[in-house]
Amino acid sequence: MTVTRNGETERRMLQSPGCAGDERERIPLICEKAPALTRPEAGCVSIPVGGEIRLQLDEERLINTVALREQGSRCTSFALYGEDHAGKRTLLYENDVIDRYLYCAFEPEKVSALILEIRESHHGQPVRLCNIEAFYIANGERPFRTTVYFPLEKGSTYFTDHLRDPALIRRIGQITDIVLIGDVRFQRSGALSYDEPTLTREMGALREMIGDRRVRIWCCVLNPLKKNGKLSNPDSVYAIRRNLDVLIQNITALCGRYGFDGIDFDWEFPLLPHAWHAHGELLIRLGEELHRRGLLLSAAFGPWGIQLNRRARESLDFVNVMAYDWPKNWRKNHAEFYTCHYFSACYFLKKGFPKERLLLGIPFYGNTCGGGKLDQRDYSGFEIQRRGQNTGSHKGRTYYFNGSHLIYSKCAYNRDMGFAGTMVWCGKADLAEDGGLSLFCAMERAADDRRKG
């Protein structure tokens, strides 16, 4: 699919589900109370809190996707139901925010009507809904990556401790790419620093858990640190300008020693133009060397401030998009669909990155800004009651996260729009699978449902 600089064309590309080879059907909807809702750009309908809108299908049909558009961003809780020919309602999807665009994906369900119920809104104001579209989509066996970061700090025993853990062993079977992050850093001299016994031990345990399955293992190389523990951009730039050959030699030697399939960079953040230029030079030169050896190169970026030239962009086999921690909304929720996930997709396309190399990231953690103090907590650290739940509390503070319904939708969206895959931060933070609220399970269901329809 062609990348364009035209903002309106990009918006339509990312809001119209279905790529070449998809089984895709747009389901006709009839809304007698508000016919404008089924005609894009035809105007908005106000729905009060506690009110609902009913949309009739021409016959009972299988659907698995509903796209919603709101004027403004008042909705803070809604539910979407399907109704069969006998009048029985089934909850299909629930979420907090609709905003200007929300992609609601769910398990395929046969329905004869859709009912949208507004439960809560900002200050109890009516929600101005602009458009509702329904689809049935199946992708078949399209190539799609699931890249998961696993923190591996000095002295970590995570994989050796879980060597016989059937849940983690099965979970690794869902993953195509594992990125180990946290301990390997380059230095001003071009040398690499890392805890050799830990990396050797944990790589051995991880490979035993993978067995004969095809799971690529990446090493994330981080930047030098100052004595106070903060990132040193000056040392990073110095190493690239003065000792790039040494650095590349050490990185390729690391790949050879441990059998890594690729190298990932997570520089947070280059900030100034000269640092971005240095980062670009590193990516170009390292990419050339890795590709000669049949190895891969990726980098993690957030949706802001990127200053990479075309050669640097093209050196990357994949980009792990941090489509979270970017709260462009008044609620300060760090990973909403429109203001974070969708915004990030648009940003990277505008920057010239092809869809086929972008993995849109999803968070397995909650975030709070309450009282002006930022804090994060693993998804597994909250009491989760239902799949549509996006908030939890800890020590009197409210945290926002992505629940099972929203994770399912984001993964389905990534597949349906033709992106390379989904990236997860991080693999240690999920709930157990037996309660039905695991985020990995939501990802697996989305993949299976989209393949089979």
Side-chain angles (χ1 to χ4, degrees):
M1 191 172 289
T2 302
V3 175
T4 174
R5 296 286 180 176
N6 182 287
E8 179 62 20
T9 303
E10 284 175 350
R11 183 184 71 83
R12 292 186 181 279
M13 285 167 54
L14 292 176
Q15 293 187 5
S16 299
C19 299
D22 282 355
E23 180 179 349
R24 172 182 181 252
E25 181 184 10
R26 187 177 185 276
I27 309 298
L29 299 174
I30 301 169
C31 185
E32 295 182 359
K33 183 178 179 180
L37 285 180
T38 61
R39 299 195 301 269
E41 316 300 339
C44 297
V45 175
S46 290
I47 308 174
V49 173
E52 62 181 40
I53 286 288
R54 179 186 178 85
L55 298 105
Q56 192 70 40
L57 281 65
D58 55 352
E59 60 179 347
E60 192 170 68
R61 292 175 180 255
L62 197 65
I63 68 169
N64 61 6
T65 308
V66 172
L68 302 175
R69 295 174 178 84
E70 179 188 356
Q71 185 181 82
S73 187
R74 292 179 176 176
C75 184
T76 55
S77 178
F78 76 92
L80 183 68
Y81 298 92
E83 188 176 274
D84 64 16
H85 65 279
K88 179 185 176 182
R89 285 191 179 187
T90 301
L91 178 65
L92 303 177
Y93 188 86
E94 58 181 344
N95 198 20
D96 44 14
V97 177
I98 296 175
D99 218 319
R100 292 172 60 186
Y101 177 60
L102 179 63
Y103 199 74
C104 309
F106 41 85
E107 289 92 340
E109 186 79 23
K110 271 194 173 182
V111 303
S112 57
L114 290 172
I115 297 94
L116 177 71
E117 176 191 22
I118 301 299
R119 294 173 171 174
E120 298 176 8
S121 72
H122 184 53
H123 294 320
Q125 298 172 308
V127 171
R128 294 169 294 185
L129 199 64
C130 298
N131 186 232
I132 302 179
E133 294 178 283
F135 302 90
Y136 169 79
I137 302 168
N139 303 136
E141 291 295 335
R142 173 185 302 158
F144 193 78
R145 290 180 181 248
T146 300
T147 293
V148 181
Y149 281 85
F150 281 89
L152 190 68
E153 297 86 3
K154 180 178 180 178
S156 172
T157 58
Y158 180 76
F159 292 115
T160 51
D161 289 346
H162 291 81
L163 188 57
R164 302 289 179 252
D165 182 352
L168 182 58
I169 292 171
R170 196 191 83 80
R171 187 168 291 169
I172 287 175
Q174 301 172 233
I175 299 169
T176 61
D177 298 78
I178 289 174
V179 184
L180 303 180
I181 182 174
D183 186 46
V184 180
R185 293 185 180 273
F186 69 91
Q187 302 301 313
R188 182 182 173 89
S189 64
L192 296 179
S193 68
Y194 60 94
D195 180 18
E196 184 177 326
T198 295
L199 189 55
T200 301
R201 179 185 64 249
E202 294 305 289
M203 278 292 290
L206 177 57
R207 289 197 182 281
E208 185 175 342
M209 296 173 78
I210 291 173
D212 59 0
R213 295 175 292 191
R214 183 68 182 103
V215 180
R216 288 167 290 267
I217 305 176
W218 301 65
C219 178
C220 185
V221 177
L222 300 172
N223 302 73
L225 293 177
K226 302 176 186 177
K227 290 182 179 180
N228 63 7
K230 294 184 178 180
L231 175 68
S232 175
N233 273 343
D235 284 350
S236 301
V237 172
Y238 184 94
I240 295 168
R241 286 181 174 174
R242 302 293 182 87
N243 297 306
L244 184 54
D245 289 341
V246 175
L247 176 57
I248 290 174
Q249 181 180 351
N250 286 325
I251 291 175
T252 53
L254 180 78
C255 290
R257 179 174 184 180
Y258 288 99
F260 289 118
D261 296 282
I263 292 294
D264 179 66
F265 273 90
D266 182 17
W267 184 341
E268 299 186 27
F269 302 92
L271 296 177
L272 298 176
H274 76 280
W276 276 106
H277 182 266
H279 195 18
E281 284 299 305
L282 169 62
L283 296 176
I284 292 168
R285 289 279 308 280
L286 180 60
E288 291 171 350
E289 190 61 35
L290 291 176
H291 294 151
R292 273 197 291 269
R293 297 165 182 261
L295 303 176
L296 301 171
L297 177 64
S298 68
F301 295 123
W304 61 278
I306 293 177
Q307 301 175 48
L308 291 178
N309 61 30
R310 179 182 58 79
R311 285 187 66 203
R313 295 195 304 269
E314 290 178 351
S315 70
L316 292 165
D317 297 289
F318 298 101
V319 175
N320 294 312
V321 178
M322 294 183 284
Y324 41 73
D325 289 350
W326 186 240
K328 292 177 68 67
N329 55 77
W330 59 264
R331 291 166 292 273
K332 301 300 180 185
N333 290 341
H334 75 112
E336 291 181 359
F337 185 87
Y338 178 76
T339 57
C340 296
H341 200 78
Y342 175 80
F343 174 89
S344 298
C346 292
Y347 178 86
F348 279 86
L349 290 180
K350 289 177 182 178
K351 283 292 181 178
F353 292 91
K355 276 185 176 183
E356 296 77 13
R357 297 188 184 188
L358 297 177
L359 294 97
L360 299 184
I362 54 176
F364 277 25
Y365 63 91
N367 190 316
T368 183
C369 293
K373 183 181 178 182
L374 177 66
D375 189 49
Q376 294 180 352
R377 184 172 175 81
D378 288 353
Y379 175 75
S380 59
F382 299 103
E383 185 177 344
I384 311 296
Q385 304 289 342
R386 64 188 197 284
R387 292 182 178 182
Q389 180 181 338
N390 289 341
T391 59
S393 62
H394 177 66
K395 293 184 177 179
R397 303 181 73 187
T398 299
Y399 290 71
Y400 175 85
F401 49 79
N402 284 181
S404 181
H405 276 182
L406 189 51
I407 291 294
Y408 183 109
S409 286
K410 286 184 175 181
C411 292
Y413 176 86
N414 295 351
R415 290 181 65 94
D416 297 347
M417 299 301 166
F419 290 98
T422 299
M423 176 269 281
V424 173
W425 179 268
C426 72
K428 298 180 180 180
D430 196 16
L431 284 170
E433 296 181 4
D434 53 6
L437 297 169
S438 157
L439 301 184
F440 270 119
C441 286
M443 295 177 66
E444 185 177 33
R445 288 196 307 272
D448 290 344
D449 292 342
R450 251 39 193 186
R451 278 195 293 264
K452 296 181 296 187

